[in-house]
Each structure stands twice: as structure tokens, then as C-alpha cells.
Amino acid sequence: MSSPQAVAFFDFDGTLSRIRSGWQTVMADYMLEVLLGNAEAVAAQLALRERIADAIEGLSGRPTIMQMEWLVAEVELRGGRALPAAAYKAQFAKRIDALVDARVQALQAGSARAADLLVPGAAEFLAMLRGSGVQCYIGSGSDEDAVRAEAHALGITGCFAGIYGAWPDNLQRDKHALVAQVLAESGCSGAQLFGFGDGAIDMQAVCAAGGFAVGVAFDELAGAGLDAGKRERLLAAGAHLVVGDYALPGGILQAISGQPAARG
């Protein structure tokens, strides 16, 4: 089989899927409770909330266990006795799973549409890429089993040659490793790589491989439009292009068509 003319590497949460939209708030509230020990003090701790938000955003796109390792270090910094990072991750998972399960059940029951839980234009853009001969992959910091299940619920599994995510027992399986895996499997070089993501690590991993990095600064909290703060962070991390969503998929395809990956 000949190699594709280009390969597209997508982050999942916030880049394609909205099933986990709001996870940052769920994680931040959980971390506040762990660090403060009582709910009454939460509202007054604006400085701590900002510190947590910066940590979550800075580690976005990396395996979730790394955010929990930050929490371990923060508990110990404050003189507390921390639980193992895996225990914190399990407790956070219970909270986010409740949100995810409700949305997946709504999809299965027909009370929600896949289009409502995808970043606008994502399905159309994936179809355009495949029609142009681009081989698509997902590489997520969320656990791989969860990513596969949620992609299936959204009806987009068939758009991808591979769907990959974090493994709880392998902290080396980060975005850099996933990009390398995708390039090896596809037979493409870094110059043939397009990468799409909403985290700094996504941009850094794609750029390090020699690819063209497209930041997706979708405003998840508003459910529409471009998040200006996210846009700045993505540009600072090396994004060559930043979009709010894929609502004009033809325009995005045209904008990247002259880049090295499209000419590979």
C-alpha cells in the first residue's frame, strides 16, 4: 500500500469532541476541594483558583495523570499528605464520567445529536480531508478506551486510520510519542504532517516533528466562537494557524493547501 500524500493528527477533547466540555471546571473544583478541605472556603480563594486554572491549561493535552501529579506536588507543598496521583485521577474520573455518561446516553437515546457534541464543522472537515487523500488519526491525552468509546458515540470512528490515547501504566505515551507513532504507521514524514489541537503540547509536538500546527481555539464554555486567551496560548506555543472551529471547512482546507504537508 502506498503512503498517503499527507497525514492529519487530531487531539480529541475540545478539538473535535465536546462530550467532555466543562472538564476543566470539574477538575478545578475537585482540586480546590482537595487543597482546601472544605467547600465554604472555595469562593474566597481566587488566587488559588487562578493557580489551578493555569496548571490545568498548561498541562492540557497531556495524560490526565500528569495533572494529578501536579496536585500531589501542590498538596505536599502546602504541608499535606497527598494521595497517589492514580487515586486522585480515579476520584476525578468518577466526576467527569457522570458528565460524559449523561451526554453519551443522550446521544444513544436520540435526545442529542452528534452535531451538537462536535466542534462545529468537524464532521464536514474530516470528510473533506479524507476526500483529499489525507489519512486522519486521533491522539489524545485522555485514556484510550474512553476516547474510542466517545468517538464511536459521535459516529466518527470510521474517519480515522487510528485512534490513540493515554495508557494508565505508560507515562511516556505523550503527544510527542503519539505523533511519532502516527508518522511511523502512516509512512509519512514530518513534512507531510498537519496537526490540530487546543493545547500547547499539541502545537509543540507537531512543530517538533516538522509538521504544520493548526490551533483550534474553540470557546467551549460559550459553546461557540473563538477563545481569545486560548488563541494567544496556541500562537505562543508555535501554532502556524489558529481557527475557532471548522464551520468553514473549505476555507481551512484552502488555507493549509499550500503548506508543506499538502505538497508532500
Side-chain angles (χ1 to χ4, degrees):
M1 181 185 298
S2 61
S3 300
Q5 64 179 14
V7 62
F9 178 89
F10 286 87
D11 175 52
F12 188 62
D13 300 318
T15 299
L16 292 172
S17 172
R18 298 171 62 188
I19 286 180
R20 290 178 179 254
S21 287
W23 69 266
Q24 298 95 330
T25 300
V26 175
M27 182 179 285
D29 289 346
Y30 170 64
M31 287 181 168
L32 278 166
E33 289 180 22
V34 169
L35 293 171
L36 296 175
N38 70 84
E40 289 75 16
V42 170
Q45 299 295 325
L46 295 179
L48 180 56
R49 182 175 285 277
E50 291 176 359
R51 178 174 174 81
I52 289 171
D54 287 345
I56 291 172
E57 184 62 38
L59 293 168
S60 179
R62 299 178 186 270
T64 304
I65 193 70
M66 297 186 70
Q67 289 154 328
M68 298 303 113
E69 288 178 342
W70 177 88
L71 180 57
V72 168
E74 194 72 11
V75 170
E76 293 175 346
L77 180 65
R78 294 167 180 274
R81 179 176 293 181
L83 298 176
Y88 286 137
K89 180 183 174 184
Q91 292 177 3
F92 165 69
K94 289 181 180 179
R95 300 190 180 200
I96 197 64
D97 285 351
L99 178 67
V100 169
D101 290 347
R103 290 173 176 169
V104 169
Q105 288 171 16
L107 284 171
Q108 293 171 341
S111 56
R113 302 179 306 151
D116 297 328
L117 291 173
L118 284 166
V119 172
E124 294 82 0
F125 185 57
L126 290 170
M128 280 190 176
L129 288 177
R130 295 184 71 206
S132 300
V134 178
Q135 199 168 88
C136 299
Y137 291 83
I138 288 174
S140 175
S142 296
D143 286 354
E144 189 169 295
D145 289 347
V147 176
R148 289 177 181 271
E150 290 164 33
H152 177 74
L154 290 167
I156 60 173
T157 300
C159 297
F160 299 97
I163 297 177
Y164 305 115
W167 291 349
D169 58 350
N170 186 351
L171 298 184
Q172 302 306 311
R173 192 174 167 82
D174 61 7
K175 287 297 174 74
H176 291 275
L178 290 176
V179 166
Q181 178 180 343
V182 163
L183 290 178
E185 287 187 9
S186 65
C188 286
S189 68
Q192 295 170 287
L193 171 70
F194 289 120
F196 298 81
D198 69 339
I201 187 62
D202 302 306
M203 304 297 96
Q204 293 162 359
V206 172
C207 289
F212 186 83
V214 181
V216 181
F218 180 66
D219 190 333
E220 290 188 76
L221 292 179
L226 185 145
D227 183 322
K230 188 181 289 186
R231 176 182 181 275
E232 293 306 313
R233 288 189 291 271
L234 290 167
L235 288 171
H240 299 101
L241 172 70
V242 177
V243 298
D245 55 32
Y246 313 95
L248 298 173
I252 298 173
L253 195 59
Q254 183 176 9
I256 65 178
S257 62
Q259 304 306 321
R263 302 196 303 266

